[in-house]
Amino acid sequence: MKSNQFDAIVVGSGISGGWAAKELCEKGLKTLVLERGRQVEHLKDYPTMTSPAWEMPHRNQRTLADRQANPIANRCYAYQEDTAHFFVKDSEHPYIQSKPFDWIRGYQVGGKSLIWARQTQRWSRYDFEGPARDGFAVDWPIRYEDIAPWYSHVERFVGISGSYEGLDTLPDGEFLPAWEMNCVEKEIQKRILDAYGDRRFIIGRCAHLTEPQAQHLAQGRGKCMARNQCYRGCPFGGYFSSNSSTLPTAALTGNLTLRPDSVVHSLIWDEEKGKATGVRVVDRLTKEAKEYFAPLIFLNAACLNTNLILLNSTSRRFPEGMGNEHGILGKYIAFHNYRGSLSAGFEGFEDKTYFGRRPTAVMLPNFRNVKRQETDFLRGYMSFYTAGRAGWGSQRDMPLGADFKEANSELGPWSVYMMMQGETIPKESNRVSLSPDRKDEWGVPLLDIQVGYDDNDEKLLQDFLQQGEEMLTKAGCTRIRKSDSGQAPGLDIHEMGGVRMGRDPQTSLLNGYNQMHYAPNVFVTDGAAMTSTGTQNPSITYMALTARAVDYAVKELKKGNIS
């Protein structure tokens, strides 16, 4: 037991786990990070980071055998031959779909921080106030003012590119120079603003180093080269990941112990001491059981796995899962609705093009039900669009020869793509639970996912399609086509909730510092902690909540309030 004793244990090494490790180590705590997947070291373990498609066995295409063996992973936009090694294979990690749910996972050191989309927008005051105002979920125990300094803390270290806009619905942050819109995107932006007055599209905010600062160079990171090969692992460290940023920073303190191949089975509850004392682990390769102990535990296994671990952490005190005093653990799961999109053509600007592969889109903050209820559905959606031209070599339906050569030496026409990111409302029926009789090869019960859409989601989708068509029409687009992908929840990869924050211990599991009400030395700071989803990409909020929670937890530990 003595050799397995640490000051803090962090479960998970992804975006929030990496931040927990960095902050804890920098504050002097001997910290153990447990990762269920294999070791992945920056640069060393990015096998395809500079490989051209023609050097890959299948020219970076997925094989029929792979599509048949891994149908869920193959639905993910980032899954290709060059990135498949960073994704969980369906057959290796089964789960139960009581309702269709595409669970996209990355089990390795760094987790999904290697394959995330890197879009980073702060929440506004209206997002934190929304549940209490509109009467859904429970009231957030914090407000924008509580987290704003921690957004700044995180943004400076991560490196966020963006433009200063002064919008109260999408607060500004600590920005590096923004990426640029191309000529057609600027024209669409202008026409929509002229038509509506209050619909202001802006360039996206993303975790890419457009101009590295001293703190980024100190991490060994360099400028983003706009290669659009981010999901392979970036050799420049041009985008933020745990592997290139937080974990190496934690290691430099001498306080980090990283243990990959460690499947966390459950947390240990000491009945005599009345607190959580450690973590049970099963070695991924040998199946050997081990236990590690610490006075402070941070759960950052990603939303659904964090729910699973807590549900499986049973004791006489908590027979239904650790901290689950009132039966709400695993309930009120929510996600982002990505089903709606539109495509269109755009005439003009045929003498113009653009350079590079910009890593972000143009975005419009939510304009539905922001400050008051205005529609027959709750909440709203962010909208994103891009404009681009078909590249050289896109004309294929013609005989080989001079005509083929001539056609493929010209750029194609401009096209426009618009998509939604809609807020879903947490509800009790959207939940996860443990299978009573099925376990994985490490003896952990399979997770049963019961998460689906409701009537509010359908109304919100139809509103986006109608408003999107109207905006593109006013912008002068042609050949507008609306689409509902019909995709199952999960493919958004933004699942949230189940261990939500709140003010009342009877209706929430965490307080305003992400601390469990009934297990106060356990903190949850990944997506499981979210009370509602907002319409923004959530990762920067996870990071800010984590840094804030660590600051609080270490102060409480030093005061003796956590032991």
Side-chain angles (χ1 to χ4, degrees), residues 365-510:
N366 177 36
F367 57 88
R368 286 303 201 209
N369 306 317
V370 176
K371 301 177 182 179
R372 60 186 179 278
Q373 183 61 37
E374 301 166 318
T375 68
D376 64 347
F377 57 86
L378 287 168
R379 310 310 289 162
Y381 45 84
M382 283 193 77
S383 306
F384 300 83
Y385 78 84
T386 55
R389 301 189 71 173
W392 293 279
S394 61
Q395 304 298 320
R396 300 176 183 178
D397 296 330
M398 59 184 62
L400 293 176
D403 290 343
F404 179 89
K405 201 176 192 182
E406 184 68 24
N408 280 286
S409 67
E410 299 294 333
L411 282 170
W414 286 93
S415 61
V416 179
Y417 176 78
M418 180 179 280
M419 59 172 282
M420 69 181 293
Q421 184 169 277
E423 181 168 359
T424 64
I425 304 304
K427 51 185 182 290
E428 187 174 11
S429 58
N430 274 354
R431 56 175 297 185
V432 295
S433 58
L434 302 185
S435 170
D437 53 9
R438 296 176 61 186
K439 296 184 178 181
D440 64 20
E441 60 179 288
W442 301 279
V444 179
L446 297 190
L447 194 66
D448 187 339
I449 304 177
Q450 307 156 53
V451 175
Y453 297 103
D454 63 10
D455 184 58
N456 196 77
D457 301 321
E458 299 295 337
K459 289 180 178 179
L460 185 146
L461 165 67
Q462 294 306 317
D463 188 78
F464 164 77
L465 292 174
Q466 185 271 324
Q467 290 295 311
E469 182 180 37
E470 182 181 283
M471 285 189 286
L472 291 180
T473 299
K474 291 181 183 294
C477 294
T478 60
R479 305 186 306 280
I480 299 171
R481 296 174 296 279
K482 298 184 289 186
S483 177
D484 172 5
S485 69
Q487 66 191 51
L491 203 56
D492 51 279
I493 325 180
H494 287 177
E495 53 267 18
M496 296 175 242
V499 196
R500 68 185 180 186
M501 299 171 70
R503 299 181 185 277
D504 185 349
Q506 294 192 20
T507 58
S508 63
L509 288 112
L510 309 173

Side-chain angles (χ1 to χ4, degrees), residues 49-188:
M49 62 184 178
T50 58
S51 300
W54 58 84
E55 289 184 358
M56 299 177 196
H58 304 100
R59 306 298 188 266
N60 202 27
Q61 298 301 307
R62 294 162 290 181
T63 65
L64 176 60
D66 187 82
R67 291 198 297 270
Q68 291 175 336
N70 302 291
I72 295 170
N74 271 273
R75 294 186 192 113
C76 180
Y77 60 89
Y79 185 86
Q80 290 285 355
E81 186 176 26
D82 61 345
T83 61
H85 48 280
F86 289 147
F87 286 81
V88 164
K89 303 304 183 288
D90 301 354
S91 60
E92 295 173 5
H93 297 276
Y95 61 99
I96 299 167
Q97 299 184 58
S98 288
K99 293 182 179 179
F101 190 93
D102 292 332
W103 192 8
I104 306 299
R105 293 161 286 172
Y107 290 165
Q108 63 261 326
V109 170
K112 294 195 295 293
S113 78
L114 287 167
I115 51 176
W116 67 310
R118 308 165 309 283
Q119 304 307 297
T120 47
Q121 310 104 20
R122 292 188 180 198
W123 280 32
S124 75
R125 56 171 289 197
Y126 306 110
D127 298 295
F128 290 103
E129 295 169 0
R133 186 199 70 194
D134 296 341
F136 70 93
V138 296
D139 187 16
W140 275 88
I142 61 173
R143 291 294 184 262
Y144 175 74
E145 291 73 21
D146 298 309
I147 196 173
W150 297 99
Y151 276 134
S152 294
H153 174 71
V154 165
E155 288 163 344
R156 285 190 290 266
F157 187 83
V158 168
I160 307 298
S161 64
S163 56
Y164 294 92
E165 303 288 349
L167 301 173
D168 64 346
T169 52
L170 198 68
D172 291 332
E174 311 290 333
F175 294 145
L176 302 175
W179 296 89
E180 285 191 52
M181 299 184 203
N182 63 44
C183 55
V184 170
E185 290 167 342
K186 290 177 180 177
E187 185 66 20
I188 291 173

